[in-house]
Amino acid sequence: MASFVDQVTLHLVAGHGGNGCVSVKREKFKPLAGPDGGNGGDGGNIVLFSDPQVTTLLNFHRSPHRKSQHGQPGQGDHKAGTAGAEMLLSVPVGTLVRDQAGEVLIDMDAPGMRLVVGPGGQGGLGNAALSSTKRKAPGFALLGTPGFEGDIFLELKTVADVALVGYPSAGKSSLIAAMSAAKPKIADYPFTTLHPNLGVVESGDVRYTIADVPGLIEGASEGKGLGLEFLRHVERCTALLHVLDCATLEPGRDPISDLDVILGELAAYPVPEGQKPLLEREQLVALNKVDVSDGSDLADLVKAELEERGYRVFEVSAVTHAGLRELSFALAAIVVADREARNSEPIKERIVLRPRAVNAKDFVVKVEGGTYGNVYRVVGDKPERWVAQTDFANEEAVGYLADRLARLGVEDDLFKSGAVPGSTVIIGAGGGVVFDWEPTLSSAAELVAAPRGTDPRLDDNERATNRSRRKNYLERMDAKAAARAELQSEREAGVWVDDEGFAVEKDDESENRD
């Protein structure tokens, strides 16, 4: 079972916002006392926190799925929903955080840093908050928006002052166990160390940390052995201590050739931009296993050559603790000098969060080609959030959304982009929400359909007086009376009109009928 993890993928689901409430206050003698629906609670955020007490990502390896609490919906009588609790995830100092695209979000290289990696959803407004002088009693409320759902990648780069590097079975684990209180696994076979071990060393009044990096072999910078997986733990170290085995039994190996191989792999490993290359850092050499007679003789032979290369060389033994005190104080001096140099450097520039520009647009209209014509896509935080908050089963809520989009200027930009009534409009990325766009009527002028240069609203339209209405009424009554008198006279005279419109006498018509 794994005991050390330095890379992990977290699957996050932040809490969704609670829905707003639609409610109308009812009291005795006041059946409709006004809207009193409360707002929904916000969803809980997911926050990363760099904790110096945490040394591994093992906890996230075992349970990579994390979910924060949802916000509760609002209730009547102006009761707001409870906000979801924040989820705090403690990570080791030195954790690199990347998003789904692989972009670095933050390097948590200092204790106490916080980063919201999963923002919770926003709670919806109740109808009490949506009421206004023009909208006395809204019959709708806004829905809560969903929280963040996605993956983030965590990569641990150990923060230590000194890194022990060397071939497998060179005695690095025994050395760190002898110099500190660390208890790494020690055995007489290669690649005993499968993950970095940290130890704290006290030399006088100086305290510093050392890291035991798994053994390196030729080709480690290209992925051979375990080197590529753990060379990143050397990036943040101030000094390198080359641990050379003076009692190896493998043919063709000696401390000088081992050192050359390790230096070649360190030189081939690319460090992040802005960091000092590995070979430009302080380097010391520890000739280990001098408690063995052959090891002591070999150390005496190679020490002079190593000193000619410019290295400070220490003959040590993890078994008898010979030379460890001198080595510990030499490393402490390097660490103190580096800390003083860092303190004299200018303070790292703070990240300044500036407000958005006043004239910055809240959305963008993109024209995309489709099978049946152009498709107009509206992308922006505000319109996408407003669509997510809308209950499309409520016509009043849909109308409220249309008013908000019109005030934001979405319709004006659609006109400029060439959209016409009936065009397909999508709000949001991907599938989004699809509409058959019908422009909002902002004035009665849009209903006027008259020839160019004319306006029927400007024509004279005088109101009829009582005298003129009485005159028209009397004229219609006189015309009706004259028509009735004419029909009566024809009936009395016995004159009828046949199918072809000719006048005939009543007797002739009777004979024809017989």
Side-chain angles (χ1 to χ4, degrees):
M1 182 179 293
S3 59
F4 179 86
V5 176
D6 57 359
Q7 284 184 326
V8 72
T9 300
L10 286 182
H11 310 285
L12 306 180
V13 178
H16 304 329
N19 298 335
C21 176
V22 180
S23 175
V24 176
K25 188 175 182 63
R26 289 175 172 82
E27 297 178 352
K28 189 177 182 180
F29 305 116
K30 290 184 179 180
L32 299 176
D36 65 345
N39 302 334
D42 295 335
N45 296 329
I46 301 179
V47 182
L48 293 183
F49 174 74
S50 57
D51 189 351
Q53 303 299 324
V54 180
T55 59
T56 179
L57 301 174
L58 181 61
N59 187 30
F60 303 116
H61 173 73
R62 292 172 175 167
S63 54
H65 296 269
R66 300 301 175 101
K67 183 177 181 180
S68 60
Q69 291 184 355
H70 299 313
Q72 298 300 312
Q75 301 179 25
D77 200 16
H78 301 283
K79 294 180 181 179
T82 305
E86 178 183 85
M87 174 173 285
L88 190 66
L89 305 179
S90 298
V91 298
V93 178
T95 301
L96 200 66
V97 185
R98 302 179 185 271
D99 59 11
Q100 298 184 30
E103 298 293 332
V104 177
L105 298 177
I106 190 173
D107 185 1
M108 308 187 76
D109 56 353
M113 299 180 67
R114 290 170 57 94
L115 174 67
V116 179
V117 291
Q122 181 178 339
L125 298 179
N127 64 341
L130 295 174
S131 62
S132 63
T133 55
K134 296 182 179 180
R135 188 183 295 107
K136 297 292 186 180
F140 68 98
L142 299 184
L143 305 178
T145 60
F148 172 82
E149 293 188 22
D151 300 340
I152 63 168
F153 306 97
L154 304 182
E155 179 183 359
L156 175 60
K157 296 183 178 181
T158 304
V159 178
D161 297 309
V162 181
L164 306 184
V165 295
Y167 257 74
S169 298
K172 300 184 298 298
S173 299
S174 301
L175 194 61
I176 192 175
M179 297 180 66
S180 67
K183 302 297 181 183
K185 181 180 180 181
I186 301 174
D188 58 351
Y189 54 83
F191 296 110
T192 306
T193 302
L194 298 179
H195 58 80
N197 296 306
L198 288 178
V200 179
V201 181
E202 293 188 4
S203 297
D205 57 351
V206 180
R207 177 180 294 182
Y208 59 93
T209 58
I210 56 177
D212 169 22
V213 180
L216 304 177
I217 61 175
E218 188 172 3
S221 61
E222 300 175 358
K224 295 182 180 180
L226 300 175
L228 187 62
E229 294 296 323
F230 297 104
L231 270 174
R232 61 176 172 271
H233 295 284
V234 185
E235 292 180 8
R236 305 179 188 272
C237 296
T238 301
L240 302 177
L241 177 62
H242 296 279
V243 181
L244 304 180
D245 188 357
C246 292
T248 179
L249 299 178
E250 296 183 21
R253 278 188 53 194
D254 61 81
I256 300 297
S257 62
D258 289 356
L259 178 62
D260 292 337
V261 171
I262 298 302
L263 291 177
E265 298 305 319
L266 295 178
Y269 181 76
V271 298
E273 185 179 356
Q275 294 189 14
K276 184 185 297 185
L278 297 180
L279 293 185
E280 295 183 10
R281 305 179 189 186
E282 293 287 341
Q283 302 179 60
L284 283 73
V285 175
L287 299 175
N288 196 19
K289 303 181 182 179
V290 297
D291 56 295
V292 181
S293 58
D294 293 341
S296 178
D297 296 339
L298 184 57
D300 293 337
L301 292 176
V302 301
K303 181 177 181 180
E305 182 178 349
L306 294 173
E307 289 178 344
E308 289 179 0
R309 294 189 180 187
Y311 296 106
R312 294 181 60 186
V313 183
F314 298 85
E315 297 182 11
V316 299
S317 171
V319 177
T320 63
H321 290 200
L324 295 186
R325 179 178 174 82
E326 295 79 3
L327 176 61
S328 175
F329 278 97
L331 293 174
I334 295 175
V335 172
V336 171
D338 180 74
R339 291 175 180 174
E340 292 177 352
R342 291 185 181 182
N343 292 334
S344 62
E345 293 178 356
I347 301 176
K348 186 186 297 184
E349 184 179 356
R350 292 179 177 270
I351 299 176
V352 180
L353 300 179
R354 303 187 183 279
R356 233 170 32 92
V358 177
N359 57 350
K361 295 201 66 173
D362 296 307
F363 65 93
V364 176
V365 177
K366 301 179 181 179
V367 182
E368 302 175 356
T371 305
Y372 301 101
N374 290 335
V375 176
Y376 301 87
R377 185 180 299 275
V378 181
V379 181
D381 291 339
K382 276 191 176 181
E384 292 181 25
R385 185 177 71 249
W386 291 348
V387 167
Q389 291 177 329
T390 302
D391 179 11
F392 288 95
N394 189 311
E395 294 184 359
E396 190 176 354
V398 175
Y400 180 69
L401 171 64
D403 293 341
R404 299 177 85 180
L405 294 176
R407 288 195 300 268
L408 190 62
V410 173
E411 294 196 347
D412 294 339
D413 278 27
L414 288 174
F415 273 121
K416 294 177 182 177
S417 301
V420 296
S423 298
T424 301
V425 176
I426 303 176
I427 298 182
V433 180
V434 184
F435 299 91
D436 290 332
W437 183 53
E438 292 296 336
T440 304
L441 300 180
S442 58
S443 65
E446 300 179 19
L447 295 174
V448 177
R452 185 175 181 180
T454 64
D455 191 342
R457 294 174 298 175
L458 301 178
D459 296 341
D460 292 336
N461 187 19
E462 296 182 358
R463 182 179 178 181
T465 61
N466 291 335
R467 180 176 298 178
S468 60
R469 288 199 300 271
R470 186 181 300 108
K471 181 179 178 182
N472 293 335
Y473 175 77
L474 295 177
E475 289 178 353
R476 290 196 303 272
M477 294 299 103
D478 292 344
K480 290 181 180 181
R484 285 195 296 270
E486 183 177 359
L487 291 175
Q488 184 65 24
S489 61
E490 291 178 354
R491 183 178 299 110
E492 294 176 354
V495 179
W496 299 88
V497 180
D498 60 8
D499 296 337
E500 297 180 359
F502 297 99
V504 296
E505 293 185 359
K506 184 176 180 180
D507 295 339
D508 296 339
E509 185 180 1
S510 304
E511 294 176 358
N512 293 335
R513 192 184 304 112
D514 295 337

